[in-house]
């Protein structure tokens, strides 16, 4: 951000993850311009009723206001700990796990799909990978659509040899 984050105990793992997301400029512009407000999904049973999105939006606005040398991410830490008990307390944790939790929480809080259709996927049955991948991606996008999928969605193929 335009400023640093104060450590709350040994929470540099959290601060580094928050700074990484904050410096993903399309995501930060989305929150600073308050586009997230129209996307908050309070009916998603997998979401947190907008709690993560609202806390993150508040922190980003504070970080990019230009009026602070550093800010305390206390509210964000509190929300994270409420919904992800593994991040309770002030001990060191894994930054990648925190980023994964935040991206998932932001996606579910901001999922534009309010009523997810049932999707039954066919087995590949020897069809080309490109066909199967397109089919699976289409099914996924009919159920999942957010700023997070817009910016971070990808597909991987794993093969066991």
């Amino acid at each position: 951000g335009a400023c640093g984050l104060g450590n709350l105990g040994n929470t540099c793992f959290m601060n580094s993850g928050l700074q990484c997301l904050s410096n993903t400029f399309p995501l930060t512009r989305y929150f600073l311009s308050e586009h997230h407000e129209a996307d908050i999904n309070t009916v998603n049973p997998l979401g947190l009723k907008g709690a993560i999105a609202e806390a993150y939006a508040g922190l980003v606005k504070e970080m990019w206001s230009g009026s602070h040398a550093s800010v305390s991410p206390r509210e964000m830490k509190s929300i994270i700990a409420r919904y992800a008990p593994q991040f309770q307390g002030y001990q060191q944790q894994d930054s990648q796990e925190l980023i994964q939790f935040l991206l998932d929480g932001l996606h579910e809080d901001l999922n534009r799909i309010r009523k997810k259709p049932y999707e039954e996927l066919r087995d590949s049955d020897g069809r080309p990978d490109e066909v199967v991948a397109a089919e699976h991606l289409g099914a996924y996008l009919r159920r999942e659509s957010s700023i997070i999928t817009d910016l971070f969605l990808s597909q991987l193929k794993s093969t066991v040899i």
Side-chain angles (χ1 to χ4, degrees), residues 136-151:
H136 282 248
L137 180 60
Y140 181 83
L141 291 174
R142 285 188 289 278
R143 297 176 51 84
E144 311 294 340
S145 175
S146 72
I147 184 68
I148 303 304
T149 57
D150 294 348
L151 297 175

Side-chain angles (χ1 to χ4, degrees), residues 4-26:
L5 294 171
N7 273 338
L8 306 170
N10 198 8
T11 59
C12 53
F13 76 95
M14 180 181 73
N15 293 355
S16 67
L18 290 169
Q19 286 285 9
C20 283
L21 291 179
S22 170
N23 281 280
T24 304
F25 297 118

Side-chain angles (χ1 to χ4, degrees), residues 24 30 42 50 62 67 79 88 109 112 114 125 133 153 158:
T24 304
Y30 170 84
T42 58
E62 204 173 357
S67 58
I79 296 292
Q88 288 178 348
D109 273 2
R112 299 175 194 116
R114 299 303 196 252
D125 292 330
L153 180 67
S158 177

Side-chain angles (χ1 to χ4, degrees), residues 28-91:
T28 294
R29 278 193 300 274
Y30 170 84
F31 281 100
L32 290 177
S33 64
E34 299 184 349
H35 283 98
H36 70 283
E37 291 181 6
D39 289 340
I40 290 179
N41 186 338
T42 58
V43 298
N44 184 351
L46 300 176
L48 306 172
K49 310 295 185 234
I52 291 286
E54 290 291 359
Y56 184 75
L59 180 63
V60 166
K61 288 174 189 171
E62 204 173 357
M63 290 171 70
W64 288 94
S65 70
S67 58
H68 306 286
S70 70
V71 297
S72 171
R74 191 170 307 280
E75 176 65 22
M76 191 78 220
K77 166 83 173 83
S78 174
I79 296 292
I80 291 168
R82 182 179 318 147
Y83 294 104
Q86 67 269 31
F87 298 115
Q88 288 178 348
Y90 296 95
Q91 64 277 8

